[in-house]
Amino acid sequence: MAAYRCLRCAWLLLVFISSWYVVVSGEETTQGDDRVSVADNPQIAADTAEQPSEERRWEATQVDKAVPDDAAAAAHKQDFPVPDSVLTPTPQFKDTFKEELVIRPLHSGDIYASFQFRTVWETDFTRGSKVSHYRLFPKSLGQVISKFSVQELHISFTQGYWRTMQWGQPYHPSPPGAELWVWFQDTVTDVDATWKELTNVLSGIFCASLNFIDSTNTVRPSASFKPLGIANGTDHRFLRYATLPREIVCTENLTPWKKLLPCGSKAGLAVLLKSEKLFHSSFHSQAVHIRPVCQDPQCKTMSLELRQTLNVVFDLHTSGQGKREWSLFKMFSRTLTEACPLAASSKIYIDITDNPQEEQFEVSPATPLLSQAVVLGDRRTFSVYDLTQQVTFGTVRSLNVLIRWKSTEGDMLRPLLHAERYVAGYGLQTGEIHTLMYNNHPFRSFPVLLLDSVPWYLRLYVHTLTVTSKGKDNKPSYIHYEPSKDRVRPHLLEMLVQLPPHSVTEITVQFERALLKWTEYTPDPNHGFYVGSSVISALVPSTVAINTNITEEQPLFSTFFPCKEESSYFVRVYTEPLLVNLPTPDFSMPYNVICLTCTVVAVGYGSLYNLLTRSFQIEEPNPGLAKRIANIIRKMRGVPPL
Amino acid sequence: MAAPLTLLLIVAVTIRAALNRSSLAELIAERVEVVSPITAWKRVIEGLALLDLGVSPYSGDVFHETPLIIYLFHFLVDYAEITFMLADVITAVALYTAVKDYNKQVFRKQKFSLEADRYPADCRELIRSPKEMYYIPLKVAMFYLLNPFTILSCVAKSTCGLNNAVIALFVLTTIKGNVLLSAIFLCLATYQSIYPLTLCAPAMLYLMQHQYIPVNFWRASFWWFVVQYLFMYLGSLFVIVCLSFFLLGSWDYLPSVYGFILSVPDLTPNIGLFWYFFAEMFEHFRLFFLCVFQINVFFYTIPLCIKLKDHPVFLMFMQLAVISIFKSYPTVGDTALYLAFLPVWSHLHRFLRNIFLVSCVLLACSALFPVLWHLWIYAGSANSNFYYAITLLFNVAQILLVSDYFYAFLRREHHLTYGLYLKKKDGSEATLVLK
């Protein structure tokens, strides 16, 4: 019995000891794992930190791949205390700069030049971290973005109107005047106040009248302006959109814009940007687009992209003196001698799609490099001049691309979507806005989103809204309407309309012109009031498959609007701004009006007061003057009066 | 009497129906003299369209009518034409009945006074005979229904016609001596456009007279009646305001309807005094003059009550006239309502001083409104001052008309007390003056 008990005790002891051993050894192994992970990661981090500093200048894409590990290392650094000596990275640059110029000869003989400068900076402003070291990214904009918690910012200044029917679609559409639209981060509490401050700051940065943006010309579109970069939510409470159709763009706006470039206007493509030539053109548009973008298809890291674009159309007759011959020198009165030293890539593209056998025009100097890109739903071929190669500049050390037309024939592909707008009616009491949208696609119909922001002093009557295509009523499937509030906010009308194939869709809406206070008129009231362009956003069916992978290496001009589908591409079309006359009071006579109206009120008051306070009495005839004087004298004498 | 009235109604409705079917209807509906930003039918339709879109009609600045109107037309929008004709017919019939009743009372009172020998002997000429009073109610209905102002207003479907109907029903119920209904219709009228608030005083005076309650501040019965009436009036106002709130689920309509009437943000030209004055106003004086002009409408109530406390119906007429001249967005429909009362005072004609001049000016102005509007807005050969000048003249004429009637009324009362042919101390013929 005792032996049995002993055996049992021993067995229990054995079990206990063995279990203790297992637990302890388990703990040891986990501790060991930890140590291993801590020890391993710094090495990876150190590796990745060194890697870009060596290879960055040549291969931009490899840097991108190294990035996630780098971020992971940074995250580890917060979690575990790691010896600094291991982790301190050698100074590395997480930003790249690319520049390019696209030249598209237009069939009208005009020429379209589109500059694009892109700075991508791998940084994250959204987490509220303080960023103080700037390299290629302009500090002035960086500070604005972090201070006002801006998610996306798009600003454009345009002089002239883009003629879609003559010139085709632009690479970067913009309405005449100034346009600003901003997505704020969802951490912003008072969006309106932030927007007000932001517009004032931008007004200073770009020397423009953006400070005239207030609640009367700001709208919150519900569908037309989606974020172009990556975004978590699309709650339109954080979106603000405003246009100033009257804004005049000139040198004072170009200079601050050029200053944002890493090379300024000293080197690279920016030397071509001389204002005396740029503003001697039929269309000029400059823009700044800031958005967060993905670095890789998995979208593990975010970087901030700054695109500065400048589009200009030189007129055949005013700039080209009627000769169908264009060169860089003729356009910009400069030639190119070098790329911007800070640029990772610097290229000139010339659209030669319509000219495969050089029967239309010839381009000299000839370049062996050809590139194909799908842009605006079409596969285009481009001659490419790589400015980072010394070969490009030839023996004369300067590049002056020359385009000489051989024949004036040839037909342009008609743009699939275009729109126009005008005011109908006569007199200063009412009117009607007509918007015409053309779908030139022979057999496909597609939906478009129309955005109209009309100032409050044109009182829209939404019950008079009619949408007709091919003579039939075409009911919009979605209408978002915010009526105006006098002196507070404008009308906002957004509609989703299906455009039938090969048709014209006409949208009309009546309005009434308000009489304003005399101080609310502009200094030239009879010039009229501008109404900003309608914005038409559409997914137009594409003839070729579109590459939806935005992180792949592509020319910049083809990657502005993100593509979600392969079969259609995004187009934004702006209509003409409207100029509408309002009835005016006579500005010269406020005093007269105040006096006269008050007199009439006083007549009313006086006559009633008279009748109310007095009573009827029999009239006693007034004694004559002589009699009155005689009576006074008699009174003094103490004699009874006459 | 029923036959001529029926005939009149048929003629009136025919004219309206014919005009509604003609191409003039659209033109009339755009006229700024006929429709104001509050009463325009186009804006009512817009409000309904906004409701259909799921947007509150008061979120914008186009619709300014009251919630009850929008819900009324939510159901009646297809019968709008008939509704407005019906409103005119109701107004005319209500005024007809009211004036008939009133004349009966006037005649009875005159009979008592004659029996008590209260009138001086030479006042026989001023005594009204039943024969001349017989056609007055019909004339009132005719003045309302066949007045071009009313016809235009009805063809333009200005909601002013509905306001007029409510006010006419208020007059009718007051003259009938129905306290509750009078309070309810007054409350409806106030709810529509604030200004009829001042009609509270004549209504109370009339009803007290009707119930033989002396107007004496020291009497409990006086205060008891005032409290009773105000309770009914404010109570129904409260109910109707709350009802509007529950219909819409928000108080948005208060600033949009009453704030709009009081602060005059819309400067669309009309026949009133406000639009050009506030378009040309210096910004820092704006509030001051706004207060002055709005107080001006309400200001005359108390002095008029004191002066006319024995003649509440005339007081009502005076109040209606003052409102339609000095309100912030007047239309010709408002003018038409008080002009309809003129036949009631036909016995004052011998004391009117410048009725010929005033009626000529009113006629000329009515013709010149569209002409100068065309010159300013369409032809561009005139400017805003031309149209403004006509509105000034039109208002001066209206003021002169009203004050002339007031003068004539006071003078007749004076003669009824002191005799028609007054003599001076020396026996020569005397002239009356206001002193």
Side-chain angles (χ1 to χ4, degrees), chain B residues 228-250:
Chain B
Q228 241 182 329
Y229 191 82
L230 285 183
F231 177 76
M232 281 186 264
Y233 171 63
L234 295 176
S236 42
L237 201 59
F238 177 75
V239 167
I240 212 162
V241 165
C242 289
L243 183 69
S244 314
F245 169 73
F246 290 122
L247 280 177
L248 284 172
S250 80

PDB file of all heavy atoms in Angstrom, chain B residues 228-250:
ATOM      1  N   GLN B 228     -60.532  87.682 -24.428  1.00  0.00           N
ATOM      2  CA  GLN B 228     -61.208  86.597 -25.140  1.00  0.00           C
ATOM      3  C   GLN B 228     -60.792  86.571 -26.615  1.00  0.00           C
ATOM      4  O   GLN B 228     -60.397  85.541 -27.144  1.00  0.00           O
ATOM      5  CB  GLN B 228     -62.713  86.871 -25.076  1.00  0.00           C
ATOM      6  CG  GLN B 228     -63.502  85.815 -24.394  1.00  0.00           C
ATOM      7  CD  GLN B 228     -64.975  86.201 -24.453  1.00  0.00           C
ATOM      8  OE1 GLN B 228     -65.336  87.377 -24.463  1.00  0.00           O
ATOM      9  NE2 GLN B 228     -65.820  85.204 -24.489  1.00  0.00           N
ATOM     10  N   TYR B 229     -60.883  87.733 -27.236  1.00  0.00           N
ATOM     11  CA  TYR B 229     -60.601  87.792 -28.671  1.00  0.00           C
ATOM     12  C   TYR B 229     -59.139  87.471 -28.946  1.00  0.00           C
ATOM     13  O   TYR B 229     -58.813  86.681 -29.836  1.00  0.00           O
ATOM     14  CB  TYR B 229     -60.956  89.181 -29.219  1.00  0.00           C
ATOM     15  CG  TYR B 229     -60.935  89.223 -30.722  1.00  0.00           C
ATOM     16  CD1 TYR B 229     -62.028  88.788 -31.448  1.00  0.00           C
ATOM     17  CD2 TYR B 229     -59.818  89.687 -31.417  1.00  0.00           C
ATOM     18  CE1 TYR B 229     -62.012  88.803 -32.838  1.00  0.00           C
ATOM     19  CE2 TYR B 229     -59.793  89.713 -32.803  1.00  0.00           C
ATOM     20  CZ  TYR B 229     -60.894  89.277 -33.506  1.00  0.00           C
ATOM     21  OH  TYR B 229     -60.890  89.283 -34.868  1.00  0.00           O
ATOM     22  N   LEU B 230     -58.258  88.080 -28.144  1.00  0.00           N
ATOM     23  CA  LEU B 230     -56.833  87.839 -28.364  1.00  0.00           C
ATOM     24  C   LEU B 230     -56.499  86.378 -28.124  1.00  0.00           C
ATOM     25  O   LEU B 230     -55.669  85.803 -28.824  1.00  0.00           O
ATOM     26  CB  LEU B 230     -55.993  88.738 -27.453  1.00  0.00           C
ATOM     27  CG  LEU B 230     -55.929  90.199 -27.864  1.00  0.00           C
ATOM     28  CD1 LEU B 230     -55.009  90.960 -26.914  1.00  0.00           C
ATOM     29  CD2 LEU B 230     -55.443  90.348 -29.301  1.00  0.00           C
ATOM     30  N   PHE B 231     -57.179  85.798 -27.153  1.00  0.00           N
ATOM     31  CA  PHE B 231     -56.925  84.380 -26.881  1.00  0.00           C
ATOM     32  C   PHE B 231     -57.297  83.529 -28.088  1.00  0.00           C
ATOM     33  O   PHE B 231     -56.528  82.679 -28.526  1.00  0.00           O
ATOM     34  CB  PHE B 231     -57.705  83.925 -25.654  1.00  0.00           C
ATOM     35  CG  PHE B 231     -57.531  82.457 -25.367  1.00  0.00           C
ATOM     36  CD1 PHE B 231     -56.353  81.981 -24.791  1.00  0.00           C
ATOM     37  CD2 PHE B 231     -58.515  81.543 -25.705  1.00  0.00           C
ATOM     38  CE1 PHE B 231     -56.185  80.638 -24.548  1.00  0.00           C
ATOM     39  CE2 PHE B 231     -58.353  80.193 -25.467  1.00  0.00           C
ATOM     40  CZ  PHE B 231     -57.176  79.743 -24.883  1.00  0.00           C
ATOM     41  N   MET B 232     -58.467  83.819 -28.652  1.00  0.00           N
ATOM     42  CA  MET B 232     -58.896  83.059 -29.830  1.00  0.00           C
ATOM     43  C   MET B 232     -57.948  83.300 -30.992  1.00  0.00           C
ATOM     44  O   MET B 232     -57.551  82.371 -31.694  1.00  0.00           O
ATOM     45  CB  MET B 232     -60.314  83.462 -30.219  1.00  0.00           C
ATOM     46  CG  MET B 232     -61.362  82.805 -29.355  1.00  0.00           C
ATOM     47  SD  MET B 232     -62.979  83.165 -29.971  1.00  0.00           S
ATOM     48  CE  MET B 232     -63.423  84.535 -28.965  1.00  0.00           C
ATOM     49  N   TYR B 233     -57.576  84.561 -31.170  1.00  0.00           N
ATOM     50  CA  TYR B 233     -56.708  84.933 -32.294  1.00  0.00           C
ATOM     51  C   TYR B 233     -55.332  84.283 -32.146  1.00  0.00           C
ATOM     52  O   TYR B 233     -54.858  83.582 -33.038  1.00  0.00           O
ATOM     53  CB  TYR B 233     -56.613  86.454 -32.345  1.00  0.00           C
ATOM     54  CG  TYR B 233     -55.605  86.993 -33.305  1.00  0.00           C
ATOM     55  CD1 TYR B 233     -55.730  86.758 -34.670  1.00  0.00           C
ATOM     56  CD2 TYR B 233     -54.530  87.756 -32.867  1.00  0.00           C
ATOM     57  CE1 TYR B 233     -54.806  87.258 -35.562  1.00  0.00           C
ATOM     58  CE2 TYR B 233     -53.605  88.260 -33.747  1.00  0.00           C
ATOM     59  CZ  TYR B 233     -53.747  88.006 -35.097  1.00  0.00           C
ATOM     60  OH  TYR B 233     -52.824  88.499 -35.977  1.00  0.00           O
ATOM     61  N   LEU B 234     -54.712  84.503 -30.991  1.00  0.00           N
ATOM     62  CA  LEU B 234     -53.355  83.973 -30.797  1.00  0.00           C
ATOM     63  C   LEU B 234     -53.373  82.459 -30.721  1.00  0.00           C
ATOM     64  O   LEU B 234     -52.457  81.798 -31.200  1.00  0.00           O
ATOM     65  CB  LEU B 234     -52.723  84.570 -29.536  1.00  0.00           C
ATOM     66  CG  LEU B 234     -52.484  86.081 -29.611  1.00  0.00           C
ATOM     67  CD1 LEU B 234     -51.944  86.596 -28.291  1.00  0.00           C
ATOM     68  CD2 LEU B 234     -51.530  86.416 -30.742  1.00  0.00           C
ATOM     69  N   GLY B 235     -54.456  81.924 -30.136  1.00  0.00           N
ATOM     70  CA  GLY B 235     -54.568  80.468 -30.049  1.00  0.00           C
ATOM     71  C   GLY B 235     -54.610  79.838 -31.425  1.00  0.00           C
ATOM     72  O   GLY B 235     -53.854  78.907 -31.723  1.00  0.00           O
ATOM     73  N   SER B 236     -55.452  80.409 -32.299  1.00  0.00           N
ATOM     74  CA  SER B 236     -55.529  79.808 -33.641  1.00  0.00           C
ATOM     75  C   SER B 236     -54.238  80.055 -34.409  1.00  0.00           C
ATOM     76  O   SER B 236     -53.807  79.200 -35.189  1.00  0.00           O
ATOM     77  CB  SER B 236     -56.745  80.321 -34.407  1.00  0.00           C
ATOM     78  OG  SER B 236     -56.892  81.690 -34.214  1.00  0.00           O
ATOM     79  N   LEU B 237     -53.597  81.189 -34.158  1.00  0.00           N
ATOM     80  CA  LEU B 237     -52.301  81.449 -34.801  1.00  0.00           C
ATOM     81  C   LEU B 237     -51.280  80.401 -34.358  1.00  0.00           C
ATOM     82  O   LEU B 237     -50.528  79.853 -35.180  1.00  0.00           O
ATOM     83  CB  LEU B 237     -51.820  82.856 -34.419  1.00  0.00           C
ATOM     84  CG  LEU B 237     -50.789  83.495 -35.337  1.00  0.00           C
ATOM     85  CD1 LEU B 237     -51.323  83.605 -36.751  1.00  0.00           C
ATOM     86  CD2 LEU B 237     -50.393  84.862 -34.823  1.00  0.00           C
ATOM     87  N   PHE B 238     -51.288  80.124 -33.082  1.00  0.00           N
ATOM     88  CA  PHE B 238     -50.367  79.118 -32.538  1.00  0.00           C
ATOM     89  C   PHE B 238     -50.637  77.762 -33.192  1.00  0.00           C
ATOM     90  O   PHE B 238     -49.710  77.079 -33.646  1.00  0.00           O
ATOM     91  CB  PHE B 238     -50.553  79.043 -31.022  1.00  0.00           C
ATOM     92  CG  PHE B 238     -49.705  77.996 -30.364  1.00  0.00           C
ATOM     93  CD1 PHE B 238     -48.342  78.203 -30.193  1.00  0.00           C
ATOM     94  CD2 PHE B 238     -50.260  76.806 -29.922  1.00  0.00           C
ATOM     95  CE1 PHE B 238     -47.550  77.239 -29.594  1.00  0.00           C
ATOM     96  CE2 PHE B 238     -49.480  75.832 -29.327  1.00  0.00           C
ATOM     97  CZ  PHE B 238     -48.118  76.054 -29.162  1.00  0.00           C
ATOM     98  N   VAL B 239     -51.909  77.408 -33.264  1.00  0.00           N
ATOM     99  CA  VAL B 239     -52.267  76.109 -33.856  1.00  0.00           C
ATOM    100  C   VAL B 239     -51.787  76.032 -35.297  1.00  0.00           C
ATOM    101  O   VAL B 239     -51.162  75.057 -35.721  1.00  0.00           O
ATOM    102  CB  VAL B 239     -53.799  75.896 -33.788  1.00  0.00           C
ATOM    103  CG1 VAL B 239     -54.225  74.726 -34.653  1.00  0.00           C
ATOM    104  CG2 VAL B 239     -54.224  75.691 -32.348  1.00  0.00           C
ATOM    105  N   ILE B 240     -52.002  77.116 -36.026  1.00  0.00           N
ATOM    106  CA  ILE B 240     -51.693  77.078 -37.457  1.00  0.00           C
ATOM    107  C   ILE B 240     -50.177  77.074 -37.687  1.00  0.00           C
ATOM    108  O   ILE B 240     -49.664  76.403 -38.593  1.00  0.00           O
ATOM    109  CB  ILE B 240     -52.404  78.261 -38.147  1.00  0.00           C
ATOM    110  CG1 ILE B 240     -52.777  77.873 -39.552  1.00  0.00           C
ATOM    111  CG2 ILE B 240     -51.612  79.496 -38.165  1.00  0.00           C
ATOM    112  CD1 ILE B 240     -53.811  78.769 -40.128  1.00  0.00           C
ATOM    113  N   VAL B 241     -49.453  77.788 -36.830  1.00  0.00           N
ATOM    114  CA  VAL B 241     -47.991  77.796 -36.950  1.00  0.00           C
ATOM    115  C   VAL B 241     -47.440  76.409 -36.624  1.00  0.00           C
ATOM    116  O   VAL B 241     -46.559  75.893 -37.317  1.00  0.00           O
ATOM    117  CB  VAL B 241     -47.397  78.891 -36.033  1.00  0.00           C
ATOM    118  CG1 VAL B 241     -45.911  78.689 -35.850  1.00  0.00           C
ATOM    119  CG2 VAL B 241     -47.650  80.262 -36.624  1.00  0.00           C
ATOM    120  N   CYS B 242     -47.992  75.796 -35.592  1.00  0.00           N
ATOM    121  CA  CYS B 242     -47.540  74.450 -35.236  1.00  0.00           C
ATOM    122  C   CYS B 242     -47.905  73.455 -36.322  1.00  0.00           C
ATOM    123  O   CYS B 242     -47.121  72.561 -36.649  1.00  0.00           O
ATOM    124  CB  CYS B 242     -48.141  74.009 -33.917  1.00  0.00           C
ATOM    125  SG  CYS B 242     -47.428  74.895 -32.559  1.00  0.00           S
ATOM    126  N   LEU B 243     -49.093  73.644 -36.887  1.00  0.00           N
ATOM    127  CA  LEU B 243     -49.515  72.752 -37.974  1.00  0.00           C
ATOM    128  C   LEU B 243     -48.528  72.820 -39.132  1.00  0.00           C
ATOM    129  O   LEU B 243     -48.111  71.800 -39.677  1.00  0.00           O
ATOM    130  CB  LEU B 243     -50.915  73.160 -38.438  1.00  0.00           C
ATOM    131  CG  LEU B 243     -51.541  72.299 -39.518  1.00  0.00           C
ATOM    132  CD1 LEU B 243     -51.873  70.935 -38.968  1.00  0.00           C
ATOM    133  CD2 LEU B 243     -52.800  72.964 -40.053  1.00  0.00           C
ATOM    134  N   SER B 244     -48.117  74.047 -39.481  1.00  0.00           N
ATOM    135  CA  SER B 244     -47.136  74.210 -40.550  1.00  0.00           C
ATOM    136  C   SER B 244     -45.835  73.514 -40.191  1.00  0.00           C
ATOM    137  O   SER B 244     -45.189  72.902 -41.032  1.00  0.00           O
ATOM    138  CB  SER B 244     -46.842  75.677 -40.788  1.00  0.00           C
ATOM    139  OG  SER B 244     -48.009  76.403 -40.830  1.00  0.00           O
ATOM    140  N   PHE B 245     -45.480  73.630 -38.916  1.00  0.00           N
ATOM    141  CA  PHE B 245     -44.244  72.973 -38.476  1.00  0.00           C
ATOM    142  C   PHE B 245     -44.340  71.466 -38.675  1.00  0.00           C
ATOM    143  O   PHE B 245     -43.421  70.825 -39.187  1.00  0.00           O
ATOM    144  CB  PHE B 245     -43.966  73.311 -37.018  1.00  0.00           C
ATOM    145  CG  PHE B 245     -42.866  72.476 -36.424  1.00  0.00           C
ATOM    146  CD1 PHE B 245     -41.550  72.703 -36.775  1.00  0.00           C
ATOM    147  CD2 PHE B 245     -43.155  71.463 -35.525  1.00  0.00           C
ATOM    148  CE1 PHE B 245     -40.535  71.938 -36.256  1.00  0.00           C
ATOM    149  CE2 PHE B 245     -42.151  70.692 -34.991  1.00  0.00           C
ATOM    150  CZ  PHE B 245     -40.832  70.927 -35.351  1.00  0.00           C
ATOM    151  N   PHE B 246     -45.491  70.905 -38.317  1.00  0.00           N
ATOM    152  CA  PHE B 246     -45.602  69.446 -38.437  1.00  0.00           C
ATOM    153  C   PHE B 246     -45.697  69.002 -39.895  1.00  0.00           C
ATOM    154  O   PHE B 246     -45.254  67.917 -40.242  1.00  0.00           O
ATOM    155  CB  PHE B 246     -46.788  68.927 -37.632  1.00  0.00           C
ATOM    156  CG  PHE B 246     -46.546  69.047 -36.159  1.00  0.00           C
ATOM    157  CD1 PHE B 246     -47.389  69.767 -35.343  1.00  0.00           C
ATOM    158  CD2 PHE B 246     -45.424  68.446 -35.592  1.00  0.00           C
ATOM    159  CE1 PHE B 246     -47.133  69.890 -33.994  1.00  0.00           C
ATOM    160  CE2 PHE B 246     -45.168  68.562 -34.241  1.00  0.00           C
ATOM    161  CZ  PHE B 246     -46.027  69.281 -33.437  1.00  0.00           C
ATOM    162  N   LEU B 247     -46.257  69.873 -40.738  1.00  0.00           N
ATOM    163  CA  LEU B 247     -46.320  69.527 -42.160  1.00  0.00           C
ATOM    164  C   LEU B 247     -44.925  69.408 -42.756  1.00  0.00           C
ATOM    165  O   LEU B 247     -44.650  68.538 -43.566  1.00  0.00           O
ATOM    166  CB  LEU B 247     -47.104  70.592 -42.925  1.00  0.00           C
ATOM    167  CG  LEU B 247     -48.621  70.504 -42.848  1.00  0.00           C
ATOM    168  CD1 LEU B 247     -49.238  71.672 -43.606  1.00  0.00           C
ATOM    169  CD2 LEU B 247     -49.107  69.205 -43.441  1.00  0.00           C
ATOM    170  N   LEU B 248     -44.038  70.302 -42.350  1.00  0.00           N
ATOM    171  CA  LEU B 248     -42.709  70.340 -42.942  1.00  0.00           C
ATOM    172  C   LEU B 248     -41.651  69.691 -42.066  1.00  0.00           C
ATOM    173  O   LEU B 248     -40.606  69.285 -42.544  1.00  0.00           O
ATOM    174  CB  LEU B 248     -42.281  71.787 -43.185  1.00  0.00           C
ATOM    175  CG  LEU B 248     -42.920  72.474 -44.365  1.00  0.00           C
ATOM    176  CD1 LEU B 248     -42.556  73.929 -44.356  1.00  0.00           C
ATOM    177  CD2 LEU B 248     -42.446  71.829 -45.650  1.00  0.00           C
ATOM    178  N   GLY B 249     -41.923  69.636 -40.782  1.00  0.00           N
ATOM    179  CA  GLY B 249     -40.936  69.069 -39.872  1.00  0.00           C
ATOM    180  C   GLY B 249     -39.788  70.005 -39.587  1.00  0.00           C
ATOM    181  O   GLY B 249     -38.742  69.570 -39.097  1.00  0.00           O
ATOM    182  N   SER B 250     -39.922  71.273 -39.911  1.00  0.00           N
ATOM    183  CA  SER B 250     -38.840  72.206 -39.551  1.00  0.00           C
ATOM    184  C   SER B 250     -39.401  73.611 -39.451  1.00  0.00           C
ATOM    185  O   SER B 250     -40.482  73.906 -39.969  1.00  0.00           O
ATOM    186  CB  SER B 250     -37.733  72.163 -40.591  1.00  0.00           C
ATOM    187  OG  SER B 250     -38.099  72.948 -41.697  1.00  0.00           O
TER     188      SER B 250
END
